[in-house]
Structures are given as C-alpha cells and as structure tokens.
C-alpha cells in the first residue's frame, strides 16, 4: 500500500559525501516517522537516522556530526546527507517509513529496496 523508492547510493572515497533520497507513495494519510537504516552482511539492520513528523531527530552515535536527515512532509520525502564518509559506513542503506494509511486508517511500516553505499579508495 505504501511504496518507498530510494536513490543516491554509490561509490565514494573516504572523506567524501553522498546524499540519499527516498520518496514515499501510495495510500498515505500520514507518515509519523521516516528514517534510514543500514545493514552489512552478517549483521542486523541498524538505525542511522530518523525524523518524526514534528521534526524530532534521532541519530546513531557513529554518525553524529557527519550525517543530517531532512524531510519534506508535504512531499513525503526524506533525505540523508552524509559527509566525512568512512569505510565503516559501507553498507546497504534502507529507507523506512511508519505511519497511517488512508484506506483502512491502519498503521503501516514500509521499507525501500535498499541502495548500496561503498566507501573505498
């Protein structure tokens, strides 16, 4: 019912920057929280950053000061600006949205398909 499409991953050198974007579409009444998670092989998916509809943010300690999350509530989009990237940031990054649908007024949690971020020289 709610689809997320990500863009912006790729290969970047250590110290470089990348911007990830995600757009939600479908039968959306409200998106309460949008965020980004990442996962490496053999590891659990972990939160990178999230933002509530009223602008409260949450960042993983490993990315604080290097990553900024932003969202456009009117357009149902969320972006992640990543600076000073390190090899440890290499992972598949997933967009996440949690909210309420406009059909059944039920809650939803949706995930994007994932976008690869590789930090390497």
């Amino acid at each position: 019912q709610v689809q997320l499409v990500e863009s912006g991953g790729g290969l970047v050198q250590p110290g470089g920057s990348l911007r990830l974007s995600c757009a939600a579409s479908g039968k959306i009444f409200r998106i309460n929280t949008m965020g980004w998670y990442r996962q490496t092989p053999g590891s659990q998916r972990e939160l990178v950053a999230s933002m509530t509809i009223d602008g409260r943010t949450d960042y993983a300690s490993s990315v604080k000061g290097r990553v900024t999350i932003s969202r456009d509530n009117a357009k149902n989009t969320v972006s992640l600006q990543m600076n000073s990237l390190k090899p440890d940031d290499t992972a598949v990054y997933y967009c996440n949205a949690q909210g309420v649908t406009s059909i059944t007024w039920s809650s939803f949690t949706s995930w994007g398909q994932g976008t690869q971020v590789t930090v390497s020289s």
Side-chain angles (χ1 to χ4, degrees), residues 4-26:
L4 303 180
V5 177
E6 301 141 341
S7 61
L11 173 64
V12 64
Q13 292 186 342
S17 298
L18 273 179
R19 185 176 181 86
L20 306 181
S21 297
C22 172
S25 62

Side-chain angles (χ1 to χ4, degrees), residues 5-109:
V5 177
E6 301 141 341
S7 61
L11 173 64
V12 64
Q13 292 186 342
S17 298
L18 273 179
R19 185 176 181 86
L20 306 181
S21 297
C22 172
S25 62
K27 304 301 183 182
I28 300 169
F29 172 69
R30 182 181 67 242
I31 300 180
N32 296 321
T33 303
M34 296 191 82
W36 292 90
Y37 289 71
R38 66 187 182 188
Q39 188 171 24
T40 55
S43 298
Q44 289 188 334
R45 196 171 294 187
E46 63 175 9
L47 174 71
V48 179
S50 65
M51 179 179 277
T52 63
I53 195 170
D54 57 355
R56 287 178 289 123
T57 58
D58 188 15
Y59 291 95
S61 58
S62 60
V63 304
K64 278 183 179 178
R66 301 188 294 120
V67 166
T68 302
I69 189 170
S70 59
R71 64 182 282 186
D72 185 327
N73 293 332
K75 297 181 179 179
N76 290 327
T77 60
V78 64
S79 295
L80 190 71
Q81 178 66 42
M82 302 188 292
N83 301 322
S84 302
L85 283 163
K86 306 174 183 179
D88 284 350
D89 295 316
T90 296
V92 178
Y93 284 69
Y94 295 91
C95 179
N96 171 269
Q98 302 169 46
V100 180
T101 67
S102 59
I103 297 180
T104 61
W105 310 107
S106 59
S107 60
F108 71 86
T109 297

